[in-house]
Amino acid sequence: MSAVADAHAVDHDHHGPAKGIARWLFTTNHKDIGTMYLVFSFTMFLVGGAMAMLIRAELFEPGMQLIQPAFYNQMTTMHGLIMVFGAVMPAFVGLANWMIPLMVGAPDMALPRLNNWSFWLLVTGSLILVSTLFMDGGAPNFGWTFYAPLSTTYGPDSTTFFIFAIHILGISSIMGAINVIATIINMRAPGMTFMKMPMFVWTWLITAFLLIAVLPVLAGVVTMMLMDIHFGTAFFDAAGGGDPVLFQHVFWFFGHPEVYIMILPAFGVISQIIPAFSRKPLFGYTSMVYAVAAIAILSFLVWAHHMFTVGIPIAGELFFMYATMIIAVPTGVKIFNWISTMFRGSLTFETPMLFAIGFVVLFTVGGLSGVMLAIAPADFQYHDTYFVVAHFHYVLIPGAIYGIFAAVYYWLPKWSGRMYSEALGKTHFWLSFIGLNVAFFPMHFVGLAGMPRRYVDYPVQFANFNMISSIGAFLFGISQLLLVYIVYRAIRSGNKAPARPWDGAEGLEWTVPSPAPYHTFEQPPKVD
Amino acid sequence: MSGNQSYYVPESSIWPIVGSIGMLLLFFGFGTLLVNQSNGDPTTTAWVLFTVGALTLIYMIVGWLRDVINESRSGLYDAQMDRSFRQGMAWFIFSEVAFFAALFGALFYIRVFAVPWLGGEGAKGAANMLWEGFEAQWPLINNPDNSAFKGPDSVIGAWGLPLLNTVLLVTSSITLTLSHKALMHDKRKPAINWLALTVLLGVVFLFFQVEEYIEAYAHLNLTLDSGIYGSLFFLMTGFHGLHVLLGGIILSVILVRLIKGHFSSHDHFGYEAGAWYWHFVDVVWIILFIFVYVV
């Protein structure tokens, strides 16, 4: 690379982006990389969404309609894996890339080349994951939680590739998280003390810590799987002294913090947006920071609440039940603070605010069904039913996905320099809101009535609710295409956005022009 | 937090995409290799993919680090960049800690819960119905189903090679510290000698580790497929050994750079990063020695 020799000259003479494909392949610019993350994750969201549509089409009526049971199992598995690892996590990394340097007044991420590698490894891992669909024996078909021995002794050949995809996606996420932490700790502008940082930055700092702490655990568990499959080890085989339950313990030690990895940055987004459209500072900033930290710490102590029915000792059941319920306390603090922020504010209801309020209301629904599931004796009834499916879709869609949508509408003017159509944005919100509730609320009922999850067919008494669910899911799915059009239209012909399009918005990102120039804050801003 | 003005942001770099292609080939090749081997299919193509991927990755690592070293040598980095690198390395080691923590967690779960339960202990004694008469013991010599998993004849004792290896690694941490002390006083000669000795101790450690594996396979029937003891033993010592190998390669590169005069008492982050990694590997070994070999 001859760039090294004259890099010093280039250093103080930044020009715009490189031309053509080279810009995207070789870039070290946090805005380019953020854009790539967002576009890629939305593409994966549509791929995973198409799988969900297929699932709901099959479940539209009892009996077998469209797809074979074996393929159905692949669809539920890949839907979960793609949404978790390909859509939600990368979308938040994309937001982090775009916004954290702008919010803390840094010229870029701390380790820009590593940043690019994180993104391209995400693509690499996703390619391997999706390629399993085309392999002999089909894609992984054991559910996104890939419990042993279903995934080891009885898994298809493609399991090996799935394991390597997880390894690569894990490396990508760990490097991304290291970059986020290094940026937040080391790159803040003078005067930007920790307790002045925007909540989005705080939540990402804690999320990055969780990522670095638990993704290696996931790497460990899939490595043990690989060895059981190919090297004759007995980690998850009781015949050799191992234990299939060991898999569940290690997996959920990763898995529970993982669900907070997918929600904490959304908490951050909502904590930016609600004050902006309430025209009031965030109520209880300090308690918000401590609540996020408390949720993160508790997330390490509750993993076995996913395993109440597997046969853990009664002391374990009690510990994990109470520990899980305690999580409702810091979460309640956050809900209280968001509502208090809105209380007596000068509220307006632009699209980001609608998604934020939808978040607060519907995430609370998901949180409350979570408390129901945390009650160990009750969980024996709910476990592996559609009630669980309803619960985690209520926290992941109005939680994680609404958080991402709210962020996209809130910051799109900063990214593109254009305003989106408010009428279309509101349409997107209401269609999503109605579709989501029609799709998932009935699942509570069929779940409580005993309909098990992950089956291609179901008894006729669940037919009505399932048809309603499917109709809602189709509505929700189709309305997401509207988002593509809204963003396209905004970029093509939207009104020009001022530097601060939201009059109540605070923060350094609104001090730079819209669209944000290719390089920002090469001289650090002064924060009072 | 001053000096943002000089924070060096590289314009662009080919290495990340080269590294991603390398990873794709490497893992696709490795996966095909494993699957084809299990199914008895030919593995030539898989080997080619795997090798090309590995070479691409090595090419990327060498090229990337050469760029970084050149940038550092030409004075593009400031104190803030130095702190970014320190943060990066520290959190990378933290992720390694988390990885080994998972392995130790698995060891504890198997020893404290799973095997005793299989032997009929506690409220879950019902598990004993699967293999009646199975007796829980550690190290596990007789597996629940000895026809599926033939147990080892015996296991590696703590006080032979493992003890020697413990002494070797602890000594290497001391010699590394002596080298660092010498470097801090800009005494390059002793710094080089102590560091060379550290690398040598690491090599001897790896030699004995291989010796131990040969002993386990050839004489003790302690193998990967000899049940949970062998599984955990090779998983944990194996991953530790890989980390010693990586640490040794890092320190060797650092040694060459030290001889070339890249480091001074006030500017030697690469050296320190390698040293952190080496000490981390050493600490993992001590915990491993206690819980895998001794108790």
Side-chain angles (χ1 to χ4, degrees):
Chain A
M1 292 261 297
S2 62
V4 175
D6 54 9
H8 199 73
V10 178
D11 186 29
H12 297 288
D13 178 27
H14 281 307
H15 22 69
K19 293 279 175 283
I21 187 82
R23 168 175 179 186
W24 304 104
L25 290 180
F26 308 141
T27 185
T28 51
N29 182 287
H30 73 102
K31 300 180 184 86
D32 282 351
I33 295 171
T35 304
M36 290 198 290
Y37 263 111
L38 289 168
V39 171
F40 183 80
S41 63
F42 191 74
T43 311
M44 293 302 275
F45 178 67
L46 295 182
V47 173
M51 293 173 177
M53 293 301 102
L54 214 50
I55 292 167
R56 281 321 313 177
E58 174 57 46
L59 297 177
F60 190 73
E61 285 179 327
M64 310 295 287
Q65 337 312 311
L66 297 168
I67 50 179
Q68 293 299 310
F71 188 66
Y72 178 89
N73 290 344
Q74 295 173 30
M75 286 297 100
T76 52
T77 305
M78 294 295 280
H79 165 71
L81 290 169
I82 286 177
M83 287 303 193
V84 169
F85 293 104
V88 173
M89 290 168 71
F92 281 125
V93 181
L95 293 175
N97 256 297
W98 249 104
M99 299 320 299
I100 287 175
L102 285 179
M103 290 175 122
V104 301
D108 205 298
M109 297 291 278
L111 304 160
R113 272 178 293 228
L114 200 66
N115 201 11
N116 185 8
W117 203 27
S118 299
F119 173 74
W120 284 107
L121 279 185
L122 166 71
V123 178
T124 306
S126 303
L127 271 178
I128 295 182
L129 183 61
V130 173
S131 74
T132 59
L133 280 165
F134 306 101
M135 289 178 184
D136 283 346
N141 53 10
F142 28 68
W144 87 272
T145 50
F146 49 98
Y147 276 15
L150 203 54
S151 58
T152 50
T153 312
Y154 306 103
D157 280 350
S158 61
T159 309
T160 303
F161 293 92
F162 152 78
I163 288 169
F164 289 145
I166 294 293
H167 274 134
I168 295 175
L169 294 171
I171 294 169
S172 158
S173 289
I174 290 170
M175 293 195 309
I178 288 174
N179 222 332
V180 166
I181 293 198
T183 306
I184 295 174
I185 292 184
N186 193 32
M187 305 287 285
R188 281 167 293 128
M192 176 69 79
T193 58
F194 276 109
M195 292 314 274
K196 279 187 191 165
M197 291 193 315
M199 272 309 293
F200 180 70
V201 179
W202 254 116
T203 53
W204 242 113
L205 179 64
I206 290 164
T207 302
F209 171 78
L210 289 179
L211 279 164
I212 301 175
V214 301
L215 279 168
V217 177
L218 176 68
V221 77
V222 293
T223 304
M224 288 187 245
M225 275 174 65
L226 185 77
M227 294 182 73
D228 269 13
I229 294 172
H230 290 293
F231 301 105
T233 53
F235 293 111
F236 309 130
D237 192 337
D243 189 348
V245 180
L246 170 65
F247 173 91
Q248 299 183 24
H249 279 292
V250 187
F251 175 80
W252 284 115
F253 189 82
F254 147 79
H256 202 76
E258 167 69 15
V259 301
Y260 293 152
I261 286 164
M262 292 191 283
I263 198 64
L264 293 185
F267 285 177
V269 169
I270 300 307
S271 304
Q272 301 296 130
I273 290 174
I274 288 185
F277 295 95
S278 306
R279 291 156 187 84
K280 272 176 66 189
L282 183 68
F283 180 88
Y285 172 91
T286 313
S287 65
M288 283 300 228
V289 172
Y290 285 117
V292 175
I295 290 171
I297 291 164
L298 285 170
S299 75
F300 289 107
L301 303 173
V302 298
W303 75 89
H305 69 213
H306 298 270
M307 307 161 52
F308 281 145
T309 62
V310 86
I312 52 176
I314 192 75
E317 305 253 338
L318 290 172
F319 172 79
F320 287 107
M321 174 170 87
Y322 290 126
T324 304
M325 289 179 169
I326 291 171
I327 295 179
V329 177
T331 313
V333 168
K334 300 191 74 70
I335 305 276
F336 178 84
N337 284 354
W338 287 322
I339 294 171
S340 301
T341 307
M342 287 188 271
F343 182 67
R344 289 193 163 176
S346 311
L347 298 178
T348 51
F349 300 96
E350 287 87 344
T351 310
M353 185 61 164
L354 286 180
F355 274 106
I357 294 172
F359 173 101
V360 174
V361 174
L362 296 180
F363 182 78
T364 307
V365 173
L368 291 176
S369 61
V371 178
M372 291 171 74
L373 285 162
I375 303 165
D379 181 71
F380 275 68
Q381 173 72 18
Y382 310 147
H383 190 88
D384 252 345
T385 69
Y386 264 80
F387 189 80
V388 178
V389 179
H391 160 68
F392 67 72
H393 282 93
Y394 260 92
V395 287
L396 279 173
I397 298 177
I401 305 283
Y402 274 25
I404 295 162
F405 287 165
V408 168
Y409 284 109
Y410 185 58
W411 283 311
L412 186 67
K414 183 55 59 190
W415 302 336
S416 67
R418 305 282 182 163
M419 298 303 288
Y420 60 89
S421 155
E422 199 59 61
L424 285 177
K426 283 180 174 147
T427 312
H428 176 219
F429 169 75
W430 284 110
L431 289 178
S432 297
F433 185 86
I434 295 164
L436 161 79
N437 284 295
V438 173
F440 292 105
F441 212 81
M443 289 186 190
H444 291 111
F445 307 138
V446 291
L448 289 177
M451 178 172 161
R453 63 192 280 212
R454 288 177 172 162
Y455 281 87
V456 66
D457 194 9
Y458 52 86
V460 281
Q461 71 262 33
F462 303 125
N464 292 351
F465 278 137
N466 269 287
M467 193 177 281
I468 295 171
S469 276
S470 288
I471 293 168
F474 297 147
L475 177 64
F476 182 84
I478 289 167
S479 55
Q480 302 323 312
L481 297 176
L482 190 56
L483 180 59
V484 183
Y485 175 68
I486 292 170
V487 172
Y488 171 80
R489 206 179 104 128
I491 293 171
R492 282 300 296 267
S493 58
N495 296 330
K496 285 223 180 314
R500 196 169 68 130
W502 317 115
D503 59 342
E506 302 281 346
L508 285 176
E509 75 263 38
W510 307 112
T511 63
V512 301
S514 299
Y518 198 58
H519 296 285
T520 37
F521 297 132
E522 286 172 282
Q523 305 293 323
K526 186 85 188 79
V527 181
D528 304 315
Chain B
M1 263 162 292
S2 59
N4 255 347
Q5 299 89 327
S6 57
Y7 198 83
Y8 175 67
V9 178
E11 276 293 291
S12 64
S13 172
I14 62 161
W15 301 120
I17 196 82
V18 172
S20 301
I21 294 167
M23 291 280 269
L24 184 67
L25 295 174
L26 179 82
F27 277 103
F28 222 90
F30 192 31
T32 315
L33 183 64
L34 290 173
V35 171
N36 285 8
Q37 215 150 41
S38 320
N39 298 342
D41 294 332
T43 53
T44 326
T45 333
W47 273 113
V48 172
L49 282 177
F50 178 79
T51 313
V52 174
L55 291 175
T56 313
L57 259 189
I58 292 169
Y59 172 67
M60 179 278 287
I61 293 169
V62 170
W64 190 327
L65 291 180
R66 197 191 51 206
D67 277 4
V68 172
I69 291 167
N70 285 342
E71 286 164 14
S72 169
R73 300 287 298 151
S74 56
L76 289 173
Y77 294 166
D78 60 357
Q80 192 183 18
M81 180 61 89
D82 194 62
R83 287 196 299 273
S84 285
F85 282 143
R86 276 163 204 279
Q87 287 286 330
M89 190 65 194
W91 289 104
F92 168 64
I93 290 177
F94 178 72
S95 78
E96 294 270 35
V97 170
F99 179 76
F100 277 100
L103 304 191
F104 278 105
L107 175 73
F108 291 136
Y109 178 79
I110 291 291
R111 290 187 59 172
V112 178
F113 297 113
V115 169
W117 284 343
L118 276 172
E121 187 190 278
K124 289 192 44 166
N128 195 227
M129 288 190 285
L130 284 172
W131 290 282
E132 222 175 313
F134 167 71
E135 273 182 46
Q137 52 180 175
W138 196 265
L140 191 59
I141 302 293
N142 290 307
N143 291 319
D145 185 346
N146 259 322
S147 57
F149 291 93
K150 172 83 187 71
D153 300 333
S154 66
V155 301
I156 303 277
W159 307 113
L161 278 181
L163 177 65
L164 181 60
N165 265 347
T166 309
V167 174
L168 285 173
L169 267 199
V170 172
T171 313
S172 78
S173 256
I174 296 169
T175 55
L176 182 58
T177 306
L178 290 173
S179 165
H180 191 209
K181 281 241 160 73
L183 179 64
M184 292 303 279
H185 293 99
D186 277 319
K187 292 179 185 153
R188 268 194 42 226
K189 196 87 197 173
I192 290 169
N193 290 340
W194 285 121
L195 186 59
L197 183 59
T198 308
V199 174
L200 184 68
L201 286 166
V203 172
V204 177
F205 172 92
L206 281 177
F207 174 79
F208 283 136
Q209 201 68 358
V210 171
E211 189 75 23
E212 189 179 293
Y213 280 13
I214 293 171
E215 163 83 5
Y217 261 81
H219 302 298
L220 306 179
N221 203 19
L222 174 64
T223 62
L224 270 172
D225 43 16
S226 62
I228 193 64
Y229 186 88
S231 305
L232 282 166
F233 175 80
F234 285 107
L235 179 77
M236 300 182 77
T237 58
F239 268 105
H240 176 265
L242 284 177
H243 282 74
V244 175
L245 182 65
L246 179 60
I249 293 170
I250 293 173
L251 286 187
S252 307
V253 174
I254 294 298
L255 180 62
V256 173
R257 293 189 61 197
L258 185 62
I259 292 168
K260 279 185 163 184
H262 284 192
F263 299 119
S264 65
S265 58
H266 56 270
D267 181 16
H268 56 271
F269 166 70
Y271 181 102
E272 271 185 88
W276 291 351
Y277 197 76
W278 193 257
H279 291 310
F280 154 72
V281 169
D282 192 16
V283 171
V284 170
W285 174 262
I286 291 169
I287 303 171
L288 207 141
F289 178 66
I290 293 170
F291 290 107
V292 174
Y293 291 98
V294 178
V295 294

